[in-house]
Amino acid sequence: MTGNWNGDDPCEYGWDGVVCLDDSVISLEFGERQLEGTLPDSIGDLLNLQLLRVSHNNFTGTIPNTLYQIPALKFMWLQDNQLTGTLPPSIYEIENLMEL
């Protein structure tokens, strides 16, 4: 998956699965890639993220609370992983969220 992940700027170098608009990451499309590990808290730093697709992988742990603080988030697909915990009430405060 990371075959073209050269350099340290996904927008400048066109990383696989990362979509940018200008210099901002707006989409992470990593569904069905046999990925494992945890979702990092730093995902909340992507304030212009509109789409997060990490479904059908082997992610574990809890969903980072920072994810619920991304104001631009419209679509979030997390299903078919090994994530634990419950969705907090703040999920309903994501104003633009259209699909979960």
Side-chain angles (χ1 to χ4, degrees):
M1 179 187 89
T2 60
N4 71 335
W5 281 30
N6 298 315
D8 59 359
D9 185 342
C11 296
E12 182 179 345
Y13 293 98
W15 289 4
D16 186 37
V18 179
V19 177
C20 296
L21 179 63
D22 299 321
D23 291 330
S24 295
V25 174
I26 61 166
S27 177
L28 296 176
E29 299 196 37
F30 299 136
E32 300 180 42
R33 296 196 184 206
Q34 300 177 349
L35 300 175
E36 54 187 46
T38 59
L39 297 174
D41 287 334
S42 59
I43 199 165
D45 294 340
L46 300 173
L47 298 179
N48 295 308
L49 187 67
Q50 297 175 19
L51 183 146
L52 175 64
R53 183 189 316 261
V54 294
S55 56
H56 307 283
N57 283 296
N58 292 306
F59 287 108
T60 58
T62 59
I63 300 167
N65 287 333
T66 58
L67 188 58
Y68 308 120
Q69 299 168 6
I70 301 174
L73 196 59
K74 294 180 183 179
F75 303 98
M76 180 168 47
W77 293 290
L78 307 171
Q79 71 270 20
D80 294 324
N81 281 289
Q82 305 302 316
L83 298 168
T84 59
T86 58
L87 295 174
S90 60
I91 189 77
Y92 300 106
E93 296 174 15
I94 303 175
E95 188 174 317
N96 295 312
L97 189 63
M98 299 185 334
E99 191 169 331
L100 173 63

